[in-house]
Amino acid sequence: MATPSGWAQAQVVGLMQAASQVAEQASEAVAPAPSAPAAAAPQTRPNINPYDRDIAMTVPLNFNQRVLGEMPVLLTRDDRFIVESAGFRALIDPLLTPEAQAELKTQLEGVESFAPEEINATGISLDYDPDQLAVLVLRIDPTKRSVESLFQGGRPEEPGEAAENFSAYLNTNLAVSRRQSTSDVTSPSVFLNGAVRYKGVVLEADVQGREDQSSGDYEIERRYARFVFDQPAEYRRWFLGDLNVETRGRQGFAEMGGVGVTRQTQRFNSFRNNGLSGGRQLVLQESSTVRVLRNGVFVREFKLDPGQYDLSNLPLQTGSNDVQLEIQNESGRRETVSYSAYLDSIDLEPGDYEYGAYLGVTNSGSFGSPDYSDGSLAFSGFWRKAFLNKPAVGLGLQASEDVQNVTGQTQFILRNGARLQLNASASNADRGAGYAYAFSYDHFVDLGGTYDSWTVVADYTSEDYATLGNAFGDNSTSWALTGAYSHQFSDAWNATASASYRLGRGTIDDSYSLSAVSSYRFAPEWSVQVGAEWVDYGGNFGAGGANGVGATVALVWQPRYDRRGEARYSSARNSGSLRFQQSPENRVGSFGYSVASTYDDGPGTLSGQLDYIANRFDASLTHSAFGQSFSNITDEQVTSLRIGTSISTAGGKVAIGRNIYDSFAILYPHQSLEDKPVIVGESFERGNYTSRSGALGPAVSNTLTSYVDQSVRYDVLGVPPGYDIGEGVRRVRPGYKSGYAIQVGSDAFVSALGRMVGNAGKPAALISGRVRLLDDPTADPELFFTNSVGRFAIQKLIPGKTYRVELFTSPATGFEFTVPADNEGLLDLKTVAVSVDITDQ
């Protein structure tokens, strides 16, 4: 249901659109020139102007069934059309060669407007279509056409509005837990993170305070604090402080403090506090719930403490599987980390390149506040380039006093959809020299609606191979061999067979896995997955009683994008899970919930979570039960509550809202709106919105993404009919962690409606002109026009001001009116009479 202000605005704009279907005012560059004398013409001329007077309009210019843009034209009383030169050239020039552009410029030199036959000599033919109300480009001489790509991706859109020079925000999350067995309530954990931006420089930081579970002491930790400076035109980002070190290939992740720079064409990513480092190691900075999905199917859920986790040893990575990790931190932030089970390909556009370089001191402490007092000076960097007609290459270097490591990557694109990837690395450390290498071959065959896919990988790591993040050369696996074949039978049916073998070192047993699985969607909401597997993980992490031969089955119900239910069982592992999740929407008043249960050959869990989205905060309530079997699953129970909010400022305004993770906009009402609430949202259907202004200040749009053109949509509740709040949308392009202050409404909020008649009371149909503010002669004029029955609408009027409407008639005439000072939005001018002779059609 439309809001009151939306209805009033639609009423006014709808009337204007109805009129503009027939006549729209041209720019001031098109003066109402007297009609040119009729030249020698065919016996009959198409009737493009049914009125006995000239009509100035703005119409589209169409070529080859596409609209090039709009330009001013003049329809004369004798059915000719005159085109404004500047507007036409701006639209037609991109289609012409440089020589043809110069020829057209010479032809129209000093000519403000022209008849279409005057440019026939340039090879361009025009006509006017009264049915489409458009000028058609009938022909362009092929020798004068510019080269046009057959697969053109479209012109880049104009960049959105830049952010405020200064902005800042602070997110606050408070979490508390209660253990039922002891009735102990933990001291509240506090998570603070935010950013301050001045022009192009950003200071971002994250601080936590929580109780140490082993000692009981309350600790304050600085997770990171750094300056960030972006050069978007060069795709470059600089760091100073706690570094967010990126790695490629076989490089290892290490925390460092110092200076860094990266160059990436892709849109810059904001800080990931959960990083997937080299060697498939997940680095968690805080307690988190990690859900693992393989090929879109839920596999397992873990509740993990801060630390590093080696995913390569989990019994989840078998064959050519795409693994997705859904991470929900204790502070409430949700993230998704995805990776392929195989090599990190050089996924750059041909001709593009990227690099990263970091110089600083390594963290000598454990998790928590980085401690560089006993660290060593280190460097980590990479460079990768995709050539046009040569194999792509990648190089990397990591060096410190304790370890030096070099890496190299390349890939060869073979015939018939095949690719060969090579990855090699060598290291030198206190334990000696080490090396690692990997070969990967994949082949994709497009069968037209279906496909075949093969992948084979051989990966070797020597015992003493070391990286900056693994200086001691702790490598529990020597060879990792994997292979897979997939076939897509139809959109609803696919199957995959895979095999993997890992050779362990020392006390780590060898492990292997053979599996075949097929997924079939038998209804729009329902799909089933069945398979067989033969697994042996020895005594490695996550094995338990998982070894053996068995079958797997999973049933998935997904009636819509935000709702999913799944049941899964593996007889080889004697494990199963049930889960149902309803994700909350990003709108005020939205609820989300989930229930889950797992069974791992004895131990089981049962958990539930409730999420709530409010205007100024969001909250989560979680209850989990654990037991060595389902008969005693209530032996250990934990209940947790988290509440998060933010405070932000931009453009001198301050607002309270939900957590901000990149950029934001503060929307506040103009004083003329008094206490009318401003609402923000992607859609206002059924009264939905994502934020609302009120007693605690302006509304906050908290989900803007840096370096992406996007729209901030707004409306106002309860405004008087006719009140003009503006366009209802602002197009923005935020910088990294930047903010906007957007005023909704203005002092020019009145809309006037009326009907204009000429002499003898006849409707003044299709009359155009301009509206001038007499109180301020320097103000830009607004367009004015009437529709086919003489009705008109004028917007952006200021109460207490006097306006004059100047009509493009011969002789020129017009009328004046004053907006009452106490007008609340809609001014009814009723019937306005002007001295104009109206000729019947």
Side-chain angles (χ1 to χ4, degrees):
M1 181 176 179
T3 62
S5 65
W7 174 87
Q9 185 179 18
Q11 184 185 46
V12 176
V13 174
L15 179 56
M16 297 178 70
Q17 289 176 338
S20 65
Q21 292 176 356
V22 183
E24 184 170 355
Q25 171 57 39
S27 68
E28 291 190 59
V30 181
S35 303
Q43 294 182 351
T44 59
R45 188 194 301 275
N47 183 19
I48 64 173
N49 182 3
Y51 300 93
D52 188 23
R53 54 185 168 82
D54 295 344
I55 300 177
M57 305 177 65
T58 298
V59 300
L61 179 66
N62 296 351
F63 177 63
N64 282 352
Q65 298 182 342
R66 74 175 188 265
V67 178
L68 303 179
E70 293 187 339
M71 64 180 187
V73 300
L74 183 72
L75 303 184
T76 66
R77 67 183 67 192
D78 57 346
D79 294 316
R80 294 182 304 116
F81 68 97
I82 306 299
V83 181
E84 191 244 358
S85 301
F88 174 73
R89 284 196 54 213
L91 299 179
I92 202 69
D93 274 359
L95 301 180
L96 305 177
T97 63
E99 295 78 11
Q101 293 180 24
E103 181 183 357
L104 181 62
K105 180 180 179 181
T106 302
Q107 181 75 19
L108 298 178
E109 193 74 38
V111 178
E112 293 187 1
S113 57
F114 64 90
E117 60 271 12
E118 296 177 16
I119 63 168
N120 286 345
T122 65
I124 303 174
S125 300
L126 304 178
D127 196 7
Y128 180 80
D129 185 347
D131 294 328
Q132 299 185 52
L133 294 178
V135 173
L136 310 180
V137 181
L138 299 180
R139 182 180 183 273
I140 299 177
D141 189 328
T143 63
K144 299 181 178 182
R145 283 282 307 277
S146 62
V147 178
E148 185 176 359
S149 173
L150 295 179
F151 300 96
Q152 187 174 359
R155 300 177 182 175
E157 63 177 319
E158 290 294 325
E161 178 183 340
E164 302 286 342
N165 282 336
F166 176 82
S167 61
Y169 71 85
L170 176 65
N171 293 325
T172 303
N173 287 273
L174 185 70
V176 62
S177 299
R178 179 184 183 275
R179 188 182 297 271
Q180 185 177 11
S181 60
T182 61
S183 298
D184 292 339
V185 177
T186 62
S187 299
S189 298
V190 180
F191 305 87
L192 304 175
N193 66 80
V196 179
R197 179 185 176 96
Y198 178 68
K199 295 186 176 179
V201 180
V202 176
L203 171 61
E204 57 181 2
D206 190 299
V207 177
Q208 294 183 0
R210 58 188 173 189
E211 180 181 322
D212 185 277
Q213 295 184 0
S214 58
S215 65
D217 297 333
Y218 199 86
E219 300 178 346
I220 305 297
E221 300 174 346
R222 183 197 83 248
R223 288 175 49 190
Y224 65 84
R226 58 174 166 263
F227 289 96
V228 179
F229 176 71
D230 286 342
Q231 296 175 296
E234 290 79 23
Y235 311 112
R236 188 181 298 124
R237 170 169 290 177
W238 298 84
F239 302 91
L240 177 64
D242 299 319
L243 300 179
N244 181 21
V245 178
E246 294 185 30
T247 61
R248 297 292 186 270
R250 300 298 296 264
Q251 292 182 319
F253 173 79
E255 291 186 312
M256 295 170 56
V259 62
V261 60
T262 63
R263 195 268 186 193
Q264 294 178 339
T265 304
Q266 298 178 351
R267 175 175 55 85
F268 303 134
N269 290 322
S270 59
F271 172 78
R272 282 187 180 276
N273 61 347
N274 298 320
L276 190 65
S277 67
R280 303 304 177 207
Q281 290 181 333
L282 180 67
V283 182
L284 295 178
Q285 300 283 359
E286 59 185 87
S287 299
S288 305
T289 299
V290 180
R291 300 182 63 238
V292 183
L293 293 89
R294 184 176 60 196
N295 295 331
V297 176
F298 171 73
V299 176
R300 186 169 296 185
E301 181 175 288
F302 299 91
K303 295 186 181 298
L304 304 175
D305 294 324
Q308 299 186 72
Y309 295 90
D310 185 359
L311 300 178
S312 61
N313 287 332
L314 293 175
L316 305 173
Q317 182 178 326
T318 56
S320 60
N321 295 301
D322 292 325
V323 178
Q324 186 178 56
L325 308 177
E326 295 182 351
I327 305 169
Q328 181 170 349
N329 302 332
E330 185 181 7
S331 61
R333 181 171 182 174
R334 290 181 171 87
E335 297 183 70
T336 299
V337 177
S338 301
Y339 71 96
S340 169
Y342 299 122
L343 292 180
D344 181 21
S345 62
I346 303 177
D347 51 352
L348 300 174
E349 293 291 331
D352 194 17
Y353 67 96
E354 66 175 10
Y355 61 75
Y358 306 88
L359 179 64
V361 180
T362 58
N363 178 21
S364 57
S366 58
F367 285 91
S369 299
D371 180 8
Y372 307 118
S373 59
D374 294 328
S376 58
L377 182 65
F379 172 84
S380 178
F382 63 86
W383 177 85
R384 308 201 304 173
K385 182 174 177 61
F387 297 94
L388 294 175
N389 297 307
K390 299 178 182 179
V393 297
L395 302 173
L397 171 65
Q398 291 188 325
S400 69
E401 182 181 358
D402 299 324
V403 60
Q404 301 85 46
N405 177 284
V406 293
T407 62
Q409 296 172 277
T410 188
Q411 62 181 17
F412 299 90
I413 305 301
L414 308 178
R415 301 178 60 184
N416 302 321
R419 178 178 58 173
L420 176 65
Q421 298 181 77
L422 307 177
N423 193 327
S425 181
S427 68
N428 178 59
D430 292 342
R431 292 184 57 177
Y435 56 92
Y437 54 83
F439 304 90
S440 172
Y441 173 82
D442 57 80
H443 189 192
F444 183 86
V445 180
D446 190 345
L447 302 176
T450 63
Y451 66 84
D452 282 324
S453 175
W454 294 268
T455 303
V456 178
V457 177
D459 189 325
Y460 177 78
T461 305
S462 72
E463 184 174 4
D464 295 328
Y465 176 73
T467 67
L468 198 60
N470 182 22
F472 299 103
D474 184 13
N475 301 298
S476 59
T477 300
S478 58
W479 279 98
L481 307 173
T482 55
Y485 166 74
S486 297
H487 179 72
Q488 182 84 22
F489 296 95
S490 66
D491 291 340
W493 184 20
N494 65 76
T496 298
S498 62
S500 69
Y501 193 92
R502 305 176 65 88
L503 280 74
R505 283 195 177 95
T507 59
I508 303 300
D509 298 333
D510 291 355
S511 63
Y512 59 84
S513 171
L514 298 174
S515 66
V517 63
S518 179
S519 298
Y520 181 69
R521 189 178 69 252
F522 57 88
E525 301 88 1
W526 291 92
S527 61
V528 63
Q529 184 184 69
V530 294
E533 59 183 340
W534 180 17
V535 296
D536 186 348
Y537 292 109
N540 301 336
F541 172 76
N547 302 334
V549 180
T552 61
V553 60
L555 182 65
V556 179
W557 177 60
Q558 191 162 4
R560 62 191 200 192
Y561 73 95
D562 60 344
R563 182 174 294 175
R564 179 186 178 97
E566 185 168 315
R568 182 180 179 87
Y569 178 73
S570 169
S571 63
R573 299 180 176 86
N574 190 26
S575 64
S577 63
L578 290 170
R579 183 178 182 87
F580 176 80
Q581 181 175 9
Q582 167 70 61
S583 301
E585 299 180 63
N586 185 34
R587 60 177 177 81
V588 174
S590 174
F591 281 93
Y593 55 90
S594 65
V595 291
S597 179
T598 64
Y599 172 76
D600 274 321
D601 195 28
T605 66
L606 183 63
S607 63
Q609 179 169 317
L610 179 64
D611 302 305
Y612 176 65
I613 305 297
N615 186 28
R616 309 289 183 179
F617 69 92
D618 66 279
S620 299
L621 179 64
T622 304
H623 185 80
S624 302
F626 312 87
Q628 293 303 310
S629 67
F630 271 100
S631 61
N632 58 5
I633 199 170
T634 59
D635 283 358
E636 189 63 74
Q637 300 183 58
V638 178
T639 304
S640 301
L641 173 66
R642 182 201 60 82
I643 299 178
T645 186
S646 72
I647 183 170
S648 56
T649 180
K653 301 298 179 180
V654 179
I656 297 175
R658 298 192 297 278
N659 277 188
I660 299 166
Y661 295 111
D662 190 345
S663 298
F664 65 95
I666 295 175
L667 292 94
Y668 62 96
H670 183 264
Q671 60 183 6
S672 61
L673 287 170
E674 297 176 345
D675 59 348
K676 305 295 189 300
V678 173
I679 58 175
V680 185
E682 299 176 2
S683 172
F684 301 121
E685 294 182 1
R686 301 185 303 276
N688 292 334
Y689 53 87
T690 61
S691 183
R692 170 176 172 160
S693 66
L696 295 181
V700 180
S701 177
N702 66 327
T703 58
L704 300 185
T705 303
S706 57
Y707 303 109
V708 175
D709 291 308
Q710 57 215 280
S711 296
V712 179
R713 303 183 183 278
Y714 60 85
D715 204 344
V716 183
L717 301 178
V719 296
Y723 186 100
D724 182 12
I725 67 168
E727 297 180 357
V729 62
R730 287 281 288 273
R731 196 69 175 159
V732 298
R733 184 180 178 84
Y736 181 63
K737 296 195 173 180
S738 60
Y740 292 82
I742 299 175
Q743 177 181 278
V744 178
S746 67
D747 56 354
F749 61 82
V750 175
S751 299
L753 300 175
R755 179 172 178 266
M756 192 165 67
V757 297
N759 296 333
K762 293 184 178 180
L766 304 180
I767 297 290
S768 57
R770 62 174 67 93
V771 183
R772 292 191 178 276
L773 174 59
L774 296 183
D775 302 80
D776 183 6
T778 63
D780 294 332
E782 297 289 338
L783 302 178
F784 175 88
F785 52 83
T786 64
N787 67 5
S788 58
V789 295
R791 294 193 178 276
F792 62 86
I794 309 173
Q795 294 182 295
K796 301 180 181 178
L797 304 175
I798 304 174
K801 301 295 184 180
T802 300
Y803 294 85
R804 177 168 178 77
V805 178
E806 300 172 349
L807 303 178
F808 296 153
T809 56
S810 183
T813 187
F815 64 93
E816 295 181 6
F817 65 93
T818 299
V819 181
D822 59 351
N823 190 280
E824 295 184 350
L826 185 62
L827 174 62
D828 188 359
L829 295 178
K830 302 184 183 303
T831 300
V832 177
V834 294
S835 181
V836 176
D837 291 329
I838 306 300
T839 305
D840 295 330
Q841 181 175 342

